[in-house]
Amino acid sequence: MGRVTTLVEGGRIVTATDDYVADILIEGGRIRAIGDLAGTEADEIIDASGHVVFPGGIDPHTHLDTPVAGTVISDDFDTGTRAAAVGGTTTIIDFAIQEKGADPRSSLMRWHEMAEGKAAVDYAFHQIITHLPDSLLPSLDGLVTEGVTSFKLFMAYPNVWMLDDGAIFKAMRRTAENGGFIMLHCENGYAIDALVKESLARGDSDPIFHARTRPSLAEDEATRRGIALAEMAGVPLYIVHMSSAGSARAMAEARERGVRAYAETCPHYLLLTDDRLAEPGFRGAQYVCSPPLRPADHHEPLWNGLAAGDLQAVGTDHAPFFFEQRLVGKDDFTKIPNGLPGIEWRVGLLYHYGVAQGRFSLNRFVEITSTNAAKLFGLHPRKGEIAPGSDADLVVFDPAGSTELSLATQVTNCDYNPYEGMVLQGAISAVLLRGRAIVRDGRYVASRPVGSFVRSAESAALSSSTLVS
Ligand code: DUC
Ligand code: ZN
Ligand code: ZN
């Protein structure tokens, strides 16, 4: 039998740079040809007329099946990736976490085992580094050769995950030599720890004090310090989960100076406010994440940063927990496991609040939900692109449809939906992963999980010839 062929007919194809109507011929999971292909025979025909066809989303920030604070994130690679698929995401980049004192490569093996044979969409990995004596610096080189080229370091959580500025600087310089890429969690850990101790001593232990003890200035300071360290080391930098207006301003200034700094924000920092942490009956615990949700005046600067190219990507920092799992922090907000669900709604929320509400173009939407992450994490042009030779990871989207977000219909394994009741313009009709329709009429239809590991190559941020804005 020859290789399976699929013809996606008559869709409006939108990439980061183009917007035109054409047919797409897929063979063996890759795009073979694009153009007027009417009459071409194929094993399967998908009618995309009246629909927008864009590259499958890439979520550059997820946490599945991960042990956190004595419990485990409630979505594993089965439920979490099915949720991603129905939401139009065809590749996730999940974080392996180094066990303190161990070589990071041993944790990476665990993540491979957790994902293999279970994932509904393709996946790559970042490696979180929690402990980096000089003796472990060579293991970063080893990760790069194994297709994991991005390393997340923390400026928060002293004595837990934080690296000091010296270790961060050394890691940055190492990546200048080995083709890796540093991602930073920017919050001033020491200042936050001091505020947390004072808060608990006063008896201020409810979820809202999680936000009050992590002020936006603690993020802004660390963002500026992280950018300065990367400038000193002469390497590009990616800042994860940016939540504050001041940090967005720091990005604009750094990029204006020509610094290769890149940043991601998350749907919850664009759409939800810190009021949620004050919900009664300890429900506020469901909105504890770090950095915390901010007052509404931080939203528009982040949206503007995305539109202007100061911020380049939107990841979800998907980390769901059931209410019961949060109860451990009933008398002490520092014990509440951190994180919000989001993997399922990122693409739809960005289309509705970004494109439909006129904040940015469809091309920019594709860039920040897919293409930029592919470029920054060494997956482009295999991922994040609609071109001959690229993987046929496609979303067939009905702009005239609508989608209601609700716990009752979600795939995400969690007992609440932070976006409950929102009605979004547009609906996902079909999702193709390497040419196979894994979602039809908005429903996951694959009979078995077909996602596989994708190796990351060097970040495009390392080559001055490739612009990511
Ligand atoms: N940072 C993350 O990226 N995810 C969960 C918690 C945190 O601090
Ligand atoms: Zn973080
Ligand atoms: Zn995270």
Side-chain angles (χ1 to χ4, degrees):
M1 201 177 100
R3 301 211 293 176
V4 176
T5 54
T6 303
L7 189 65
V8 180
E9 271 189 337
R12 175 182 168 196
I13 298 170
V14 178
T15 67
T17 49
D18 296 314
D19 188 340
Y20 57 102
V21 174
D23 309 315
I24 301 172
L25 180 63
I26 300 163
E27 185 179 346
R30 299 208 170 191
I31 296 173
R32 176 153 170 223
I34 304 174
D36 181 358
L37 305 171
T40 304
E41 286 198 10
D43 299 311
E44 187 182 8
I45 308 261
I46 294 177
D47 178 8
S49 54
H51 287 64
V52 180
V53 180
F54 51 79
I58 299 176
D59 188 338
H61 193 146
T62 68
H63 301 277
L64 299 178
D65 214 1
T66 307
V68 183
T71 186
V72 179
I73 280 170
S74 60
D75 261 326
D76 63 8
F77 277 85
D78 167 26
T79 57
T81 57
R82 281 192 281 118
V86 298
T89 289
T90 51
T91 303
I92 61 162
I93 315 183
D94 205 77
F95 286 81
I97 305 184
Q98 176 196 20
E99 259 173 56
K100 265 271 169 72
D103 189 304
R105 287 159 75 193
S106 56
S107 58
L108 180 60
M109 291 306 116
R110 273 193 61 204
W111 254 259
H112 275 293
E113 282 162 20
M114 290 191 312
E116 207 173 325
K118 247 181 160 181
V121 301
D122 283 353
Y123 54 93
F125 294 123
H126 309 293
Q127 177 68 52
I128 291 178
I129 305 288
T130 58
H131 171 71
L132 192 62
D134 291 354
S135 58
L136 280 183
L137 280 168
S139 64
L140 300 185
D141 310 349
L143 290 163
V144 170
T145 56
E146 286 172 31
V148 175
T149 56
S150 38
F151 314 124
K152 179 182 174 187
L153 315 181
F154 286 87
M155 300 175 94
Y157 312 110
N159 306 314
V160 187
W161 291 336
M162 190 178 103
L163 296 190
D164 65 34
D165 289 351
I168 291 173
F169 181 63
K170 284 183 190 170
M172 285 174 164
R173 281 205 312 212
R174 191 79 184 198
T175 60
E177 291 155 18
N178 68 14
F181 190 28
I182 295 295
M183 314 168 79
L184 273 188
H185 174 129
C186 296
E187 284 186 299
N188 185 315
Y190 289 126
I192 288 169
D193 267 16
L195 292 171
V196 165
K197 280 201 185 88
E198 287 167 17
S199 182
L200 291 176
R202 279 194 307 270
D204 291 336
S205 59
D206 288 346
I208 186 64
F209 294 102
H210 173 79
R212 302 250 169 91
T213 54
R214 305 184 87 92
S216 56
L217 272 173
E219 180 179 345
D220 302 347
E221 182 279 327
T223 298
R224 288 185 184 273
R225 180 158 39 101
I227 290 169
L229 289 170
E231 268 186 280
M232 275 168 67
V235 295
L237 167 70
Y238 182 90
I239 298 174
V240 293
H241 50 50
M242 187 167 282
S243 72
S244 72
S247 293
R249 204 158 43 242
M251 284 299 297
E253 289 168 19
R255 291 180 62 85
E256 180 72 27
R257 287 201 304 280
V259 180
R260 285 173 294 161
Y262 306 90
E264 133 203 303
T265 186
C266 310
H268 44 276
Y269 299 127
L270 294 164
L271 296 165
L272 306 181
T273 60
D274 55 353
D275 302 345
R276 299 274 182 127
L277 284 107
E279 283 189 6
F282 196 60
R283 291 282 158 188
Q286 293 174 311
Y287 297 94
V288 166
C289 59
S290 297
L293 299 179
R294 306 284 184 199
D297 55 350
H298 290 268
H299 292 178
E300 229 39 57
L302 293 169
W303 281 114
N304 291 341
L306 284 171
D310 302 328
L311 279 71
Q312 293 70 34
V314 178
T316 57
D317 202 357
H318 181 77
F321 298 95
F322 280 78
F323 183 64
E324 203 182 289
Q325 294 177 280
R326 312 250 188 189
L327 284 172
V328 63
K330 192 93 179 65
D331 302 314
D332 176 353
F333 65 85
T334 65
K335 297 202 165 67
I336 300 169
N338 273 224
L340 263 68
I343 205 167
E344 189 169 345
W345 312 299
R346 182 187 66 118
V347 170
L349 290 167
L350 268 285
Y351 179 84
H352 180 86
Y353 289 99
V355 180
Q357 295 199 348
R359 288 187 169 96
F360 43 69
S361 68
L362 255 176
N363 298 112
R364 183 66 182 156
F365 159 80
V366 171
E367 231 170 3
I368 64 180
T369 56
S370 180
T371 312
N372 277 350
K375 288 181 176 176
L376 287 166
F377 299 111
L379 305 174
H380 190 262
R382 180 171 170 195
K383 302 292 189 188
E385 194 56 87
I386 300 182
S390 295
D391 280 359
D393 296 347
L394 303 172
V395 176
V396 180
F397 186 80
D398 177 7
S402 70
T403 306
E404 180 167 356
L405 306 187
S406 160
L407 173 63
T409 53
Q410 73 189 28
V411 176
T412 298
N413 184 38
C414 189
D415 54 359
Y416 72 111
N417 183 324
Y419 308 100
E420 185 70 40
M422 282 186 182
V423 179
L424 306 181
Q425 195 171 315
I428 289 169
S429 299
V431 177
L432 280 66
L433 177 69
R434 282 178 276 105
R436 297 178 203 220
I438 58 170
V439 173
R440 289 182 199 272
D441 297 325
R443 286 216 189 81
Y444 182 72
V445 293
S447 54
R448 63 185 176 85
V450 289
S452 61
F453 174 63
V454 205
R455 294 171 64 89
S456 290
E458 250 184 33
S459 170
L462 297 172
S463 97
S464 50
S465 59
T466 318
L467 290 176
V468 181
S469 60

